[in-house]
Amino acid sequence: MKLAWLPLRLKHALCFAFLPVLLFDAPPVDAQGRYSRAEQMLPWNLERLTTGDPDGPHWMAGGNRFWYRVNTPRGGEFVLVDPERNTRTLVFDNARLAAAMSVANDTSYDPVKLPFTSFEFADHGANERVIEFKASARRFACDIASYTCSVGDTLPTNPVYVRSPDGAWEAFVREHNLYVRPAEGGDSIQLTDDGQRFWAYGLPDPRPTELRMGLPRRPVLQWSPDSRKIAVQRMDEREVEHFHLISYTSSRPKHYSYPYPLPGDSIISRFDIHILDVEERTNLRVGADPQPYTTFSTVGVLDSTWNTVKWGMAGDRLYFTQGSRGAKRIRLLEADAASGAARVILQDTTKTHLELNLLIVGKANWAVANDGNDIIWFSERDGWAHLYRHDDEGNLKNQITSGPWTVGDIVYVDDGANRIYFTARGREVGQNPAVASLYAVNFDGSGLRRLTEEPADHAISVSPSGRFLFDEYSSVDVPPVTVLRSLEGRVIRTLERADVSQLEEIGWRPPEPFSVKARDGVTDIYGLMYRPSDFDPDRKYPVIEYIYPGPWIGSVGIWRFTHTGIHRRSEQQALAELGFVVVQIDAMGTAFRSRAFRDTWYGDMRDNGIADHVTALKQLAMRHPFLDLDRVGVYGHSGGGFGSLDAILRYPDFYKVAVSSSGNHDNRTYHAAYGEKYQGVFARDTVSGTNNFAGQSNAAMAENLEGKLLIIHGDMDDNVHPAMTMQVVNALIAANKNFDLLLMPNREHSIMRGDPYLLRLRWDYFVEHLLGEEPPENYRITPPSG
């Protein structure tokens, strides 16, 4: 008998989901072993076997020193580095700290497995003697000189705050208004009094995920350098239409409602900038039109860094960028901090879309130098991402960088030396154009020099003083090396070298980079291939493609050595262990290349780069006879959920099996800031009644389905609403198609990131329908600990 996936033949519109029905005889002898080997390759298992890959740096008061955590054969250790003294020491002794924690909490703690991965110095690092952290659901304060600890009864309940540059104040939001409080303790001071729900200072209305999971929310603001003023965002969502979700797992289902603007909506989220004076307690609205919330890069992903707003050094001027709806114009403005009056300094416009960085989660690449007399500006106006120098009136002084390559992040601007330090890609001959190196150049464009010679992707962090660099560099197939550098790139000392020998002992191997030609037969595109550890070149292997089209990043994305991140590469290796060859391909239309390359499918998001993927796989099969293109599968999540379903519907003769999770299958019902940026501002033809988004829906191609399809979505997804999946389901039913559907209760958008059940479900689906074998019955993947 074979594994029978119950086909979805819905007779009633209210029937939501079918779970797989498992009917088994005994599985093949080696099926359990292959699943077990695949499980070894999952991210949380590989991380335990990798040492010397630091998590950091965490820069400390004073501007140069930093600490980081790193896995070692002795367990996780916390390392303190003093660049000026060129020293590397441990922050504390693990054994003594574990003993002190054990005494304080009457619990035995293992120094090899300390139950925390981060800490803060008490007293804001004034004496660096006491550290505070959370462990065992309690708050610890430990003196790392005497090795004594105290334990709080409960976790801290203080609001999340943003500390002022001088360390004296903490800014936070309470009931839609902004407050400050003395960092050393004392009464809070309310700086605004007119905040209200959907028109609040510092924080927009929380999403259901934030409410349900109790996620911390730091306000979106910027302190002035002198710690006297705060620039704060005030988001207006009052008339924005809402999406709705219902959690069904409680005895009485719970309803959630949240503002969510869509392409074509007449009202979208907009924000003003307010300048608050801490001493005078005044509230001044900056005199500029409300800015539409048009980009996801306004706020940093990991903190509340408002990277499109910057203060002048004297604190008397505020500079900020302002995008237009559809991202066809970006302006740089200057505001007087005393009057709020604002003026436009310069602007860029385009027929497609504008960026301030080629990565949507990257830094905003502009800087104000020499007291406003030099504006460093990022632009693709000549067809490539480069830096330009303008004066304080917006007049172009000179183009700083040029050529067929792209600027990445501005790392540091040295006003005194009139020199810029930045990452860039594609300049080195013979190197993958997605790999970043560090460069320096003078304001006038002279003196361009590469500062990192290693042929690897460099992740750079600069010290607050601008004197030192923390550089972790690696390739997709070469483990990371972490070094301390001077600003000009000289290696001061090697801090860590990642050791993957334990991975190799269990049969792990890194993915294999490759390059092929795109659909035009001329352009180089790049990808990765994963083979099973027991690979036999004389066998024919089904091929599975992992897809994430972007368009802002691509299926491979960042070309570094990593098991995790957005693409979780170890999950690709785990899948290969089941008897497949897995590939990732960066197609035309993805990041880091020329403007023309990235605009390949602007206005046609259903393209998804899949034409390049099909072309690439055919080229690979000519090189590698072990690839069986009669058995090709595809899977992806979010944008990749859109792309994987698109692939099997548009190329039904090529893709035979697809697993699509949480896909934005119709960008008319995805966030306006994304859809209108890459598809164009919503426009309806008054004669035909059609619009520029109509042809981009997966539901419109439901009749094309021929292969096996599994659709997955979380019913509490407040990013890509499950309505997108239900629209596709409705169309597939109308087309009389068989498919499989799973709605996961109480799951958010990140359902595929390490959920053991869904991982196993995906494995089973490909093993049965693409490999043609029976999966082991109800194999249970052990979830990550903690």
Side-chain angles (χ1 to χ4, degrees):
M1 297 176 66
K2 63 188 288 289
L3 170 65
W5 286 83
L6 185 64
L8 191 65
R9 298 184 178 95
L10 297 182
K11 296 183 179 180
H12 304 285
L14 295 179
C15 188
F16 278 120
F18 280 74
L19 297 177
V21 176
L22 305 176
L23 303 174
F24 285 99
D25 283 334
V29 175
D30 65 338
Q32 188 84 13
R34 283 192 283 125
Y35 269 59
S36 179
R37 186 167 66 243
E39 184 177 0
Q40 287 183 293
M41 302 298 171
L42 291 174
W44 51 88
N45 292 325
L46 293 189
E47 287 171 5
R48 293 187 297 104
L49 302 177
T50 306
T51 61
D53 187 5
D55 176 18
H58 303 271
W59 298 101
M60 298 165 60
N64 291 319
R65 293 181 306 146
F66 59 91
W67 65 266
Y68 60 84
R69 182 184 182 276
V70 62
N71 284 332
T72 76
R74 302 169 299 281
E77 294 184 341
F78 294 81
V79 176
L80 175 65
V81 178
D82 187 332
E84 291 186 291
R85 297 182 179 181
N86 192 12
T87 59
R88 178 193 181 279
T89 58
L90 295 181
V91 179
F92 51 77
D93 182 286
N94 280 24
R96 296 183 67 186
L97 184 65
M101 292 174 61
S102 301
V103 170
N105 202 34
D106 193 23
T107 303
S108 179
Y109 290 100
D110 185 347
V112 177
K113 299 178 181 178
L114 291 176
F116 64 96
T117 58
S118 185
F119 69 85
E120 289 189 359
F121 285 105
D123 301 323
H124 315 295
N127 56 29
E128 297 172 5
R129 175 169 174 159
V130 178
I131 61 172
E132 297 178 329
F133 53 87
K134 299 175 184 178
S136 304
R138 307 189 74 183
R139 175 181 173 273
F140 282 76
C142 296
D143 188 315
I144 54 177
S146 65
Y147 285 96
T148 56
C149 295
S150 62
V151 181
D153 292 334
T154 59
L155 296 177
T157 57
N158 294 331
V160 178
Y161 59 83
V162 179
R163 188 171 295 141
S164 61
D166 62 7
W169 296 98
E170 296 169 349
F172 61 96
V173 171
R174 179 187 295 156
E175 296 180 348
H176 318 302
N177 283 298
L178 193 74
Y179 291 72
V180 294
R181 65 185 179 197
E184 301 302 326
D187 294 336
S188 297
I189 300 171
Q190 185 171 353
L191 295 182
T192 69
D193 59 11
D194 58 341
Q196 56 184 274
R197 189 181 183 193
F198 305 127
W199 197 26
Y201 290 91
L203 289 172
D205 206 55
R207 289 282 186 90
T209 297
E210 295 170 322
L211 291 172
R212 294 176 64 250
M213 300 180 67
L215 299 178
R217 305 179 73 222
R218 300 179 75 228
V220 182
L221 57 84
Q222 282 281 16
W223 282 91
S224 62
D226 60 8
S227 300
R228 296 181 60 187
K229 296 183 177 67
I230 300 172
V232 63
Q233 185 181 98
R234 189 182 191 189
M235 186 72 74
D236 188 352
E237 304 171 293
R238 288 173 293 176
E239 303 299 325
V240 175
E241 292 197 51
H242 282 219
F243 266 174
H244 304 271
L245 292 170
I246 298 178
S247 172
Y248 292 98
T249 54
S250 59
S251 58
R252 186 178 294 276
K254 183 173 177 57
H255 169 254
Y256 294 89
S257 175
Y258 58 103
Y260 195 105
L262 297 178
D265 283 357
S266 59
I267 299 175
I268 64 173
S269 305
R270 298 175 182 273
F271 65 86
D272 287 315
I273 299 173
H274 287 247
I275 297 176
L276 311 179
D277 190 302
V278 175
E279 294 180 359
E280 301 296 329
R281 304 186 188 182
T282 56
N283 179 353
L284 180 68
R285 177 186 170 276
V286 171
D289 292 337
Q291 178 169 181
Y293 186 65
T294 57
T295 172
F296 294 147
S297 63
T298 301
V299 180
V301 172
L302 299 179
D303 57 28
S304 65
T305 302
W306 194 5
N307 61 33
T308 55
V309 171
K310 301 176 184 180
W311 284 93
M313 289 306 298
D316 58 343
R317 284 172 287 177
L318 185 72
Y319 299 87
F320 58 97
T321 54
Q322 186 180 72
S324 67
R325 185 167 182 175
K328 296 184 184 299
R329 184 192 69 217
I330 296 180
R331 290 174 170 172
L332 176 67
L333 291 87
E334 176 193 69
D336 184 289
S339 68
R343 68 182 182 95
V344 176
I345 298 177
L346 61 88
Q347 72 174 18
D348 263 1
T349 59
T350 185
K351 294 181 179 179
T352 56
H353 68 280
L354 288 166
E355 311 282 0
L356 290 172
N357 193 306
L358 297 189
L359 266 181
I360 197 170
V361 295
K363 301 175 181 178
N365 273 328
W366 58 274
V368 178
N370 295 324
D371 197 30
N373 291 311
D374 285 307
I375 307 294
I376 311 302
W377 186 249
F378 176 93
S379 175
E380 295 178 273
R381 63 186 63 163
D382 73 348
W384 295 85
H386 283 299
L387 299 178
Y388 295 78
R389 181 188 181 199
H390 294 257
D391 65 19
D392 61 356
E393 296 296 326
N395 300 308
L396 178 65
K397 289 185 174 181
N398 59 272
Q399 183 169 348
I400 300 171
T401 62
S402 62
W405 49 278
T406 60
V407 168
D409 287 331
I410 294 178
V411 173
Y412 181 68
V413 176
D414 187 338
D415 285 41
N418 282 354
R419 195 158 172 79
I420 307 165
Y421 299 82
F422 64 97
T423 58
R425 298 174 172 90
R427 187 172 181 269
E428 308 308 318
V429 176
Q431 187 166 289
N432 184 321
V435 170
S437 297
L438 179 68
Y439 297 83
V441 67
N442 296 325
F443 280 16
D444 63 4
S446 65
L448 177 64
R449 187 164 73 90
R450 184 185 182 190
L451 302 181
T452 54
E453 297 297 328
E454 301 86 357
D457 192 79
H458 292 258
I460 306 288
S461 177
V462 63
S463 66
S465 70
R467 293 177 54 196
F468 300 99
L469 303 171
F470 179 95
D471 177 15
E472 183 177 353
Y473 62 87
S474 66
S475 302
V476 291
D477 53 350
V478 180
V481 176
T482 306
V483 298
L484 174 67
R485 296 182 186 271
S486 69
L487 185 60
E488 290 299 323
R490 179 179 61 86
V491 174
I492 297 172
R493 71 180 300 150
T494 299
L495 298 171
E496 305 289 344
R497 290 185 183 273
D499 184 349
V500 296
S501 57
Q502 293 184 79
L503 300 184
E504 294 167 341
E505 289 174 3
I506 66 168
W508 169 89
R509 64 179 69 189
E512 305 163 35
F514 63 81
S515 65
V516 290
K517 297 300 180 182
R519 69 187 80 176
D520 61 4
V522 177
T523 306
D524 290 326
I525 55 175
Y526 299 82
L528 299 176
M529 180 187 296
Y530 303 78
R531 308 187 196 194
S533 56
D534 61 354
F535 175 76
D536 180 354
D538 295 326
R539 284 184 55 189
K540 279 281 193 178
Y541 288 87
V543 180
I544 298 176
E545 178 189 338
Y546 166 80
I547 184 172
Y548 190 89
W552 53 272
I553 185 166
S555 297
V556 177
I558 303 297
W559 284 73
R560 296 183 197 130
F561 186 97
T562 176
H563 303 309
T564 56
I566 188 173
H567 297 307
R568 301 181 71 87
R569 289 191 190 126
S570 52
E571 290 183 5
Q572 277 71 269
Q573 183 61 47
L575 189 56
E577 296 295 339
L578 301 177
F580 305 101
V581 171
V582 181
V583 297
Q584 296 170 261
I585 304 166
D586 276 352
M588 295 179 72
T590 55
F592 307 134
R593 308 284 284 275
S594 70
R595 180 85 223 198
F597 180 95
R598 296 195 310 106
D599 279 348
T600 299
W601 37 282
Y602 173 82
D604 183 16
M605 292 186 70
R606 202 178 70 187
D607 182 292
N608 282 312
I610 299 172
D612 297 315
H613 297 194
V614 173
T615 302
L617 288 173
K618 290 178 178 178
Q619 292 173 64
L620 287 176
M622 293 179 66
R623 299 179 194 173
H624 305 296
F626 54 81
L627 298 178
D628 184 355
L629 293 195
D630 290 329
R631 294 182 293 169
V632 179
V634 60
Y635 76 98
H637 179 76
S638 191
F642 172 34
S644 56
L645 181 53
D646 179 21
I648 200 172
L649 295 178
R650 277 203 298 134
Y651 295 87
D653 294 334
F654 190 80
Y655 294 99
K656 303 304 194 301
V657 182
V659 178
S660 167
S661 57
S662 305
N664 52 316
H665 301 295
D666 186 341
N667 282 297
R668 285 174 293 190
T669 51
Y670 192 49
H671 202 289
Y674 185 84
E676 292 190 345
K677 185 174 188 177
Y678 297 115
Q679 186 62 29
V681 174
F682 187 92
R684 188 182 301 278
D685 189 294
T686 56
V687 177
S688 66
T690 62
N691 60 75
N692 57 320
F693 280 72
Q696 309 302 313
S697 168
N698 277 337
M701 299 186 293
E703 291 187 355
N704 295 352
L705 180 63
E706 295 181 10
K708 293 291 184 178
L709 170 64
L710 171 60
I711 304 176
I712 303 170
H713 215 121
D715 70 353
M716 291 299 294
D717 189 336
D718 55 17
N719 180 359
V720 178
H721 196 280
M724 290 209 199
T725 282
M726 299 315 296
Q727 291 159 12
V728 171
V729 166
N730 193 45
L732 290 168
I733 294 168
N736 197 35
K737 297 296 181 178
N738 295 340
F739 60 100
D740 298 292
L741 170 67
L742 175 63
L743 288 182
M744 292 289 285
N746 267 7
R747 300 303 203 282
E748 290 79 21
H749 187 62
S750 59
I751 55 173
M752 292 307 299
R753 294 189 179 179
D755 187 296
Y757 180 77
L758 292 180
L759 285 173
R760 193 266 296 172
L761 204 65
R762 186 166 65 202
W763 291 0
D764 286 354
Y765 207 77
F766 283 125
V767 165
E768 183 193 357
H769 295 302
L770 201 61
L771 195 61
E773 296 182 2
E774 296 178 6
E777 184 173 1
N778 295 330
Y779 184 89
R780 184 179 293 274
I781 296 174
T782 302
S785 60

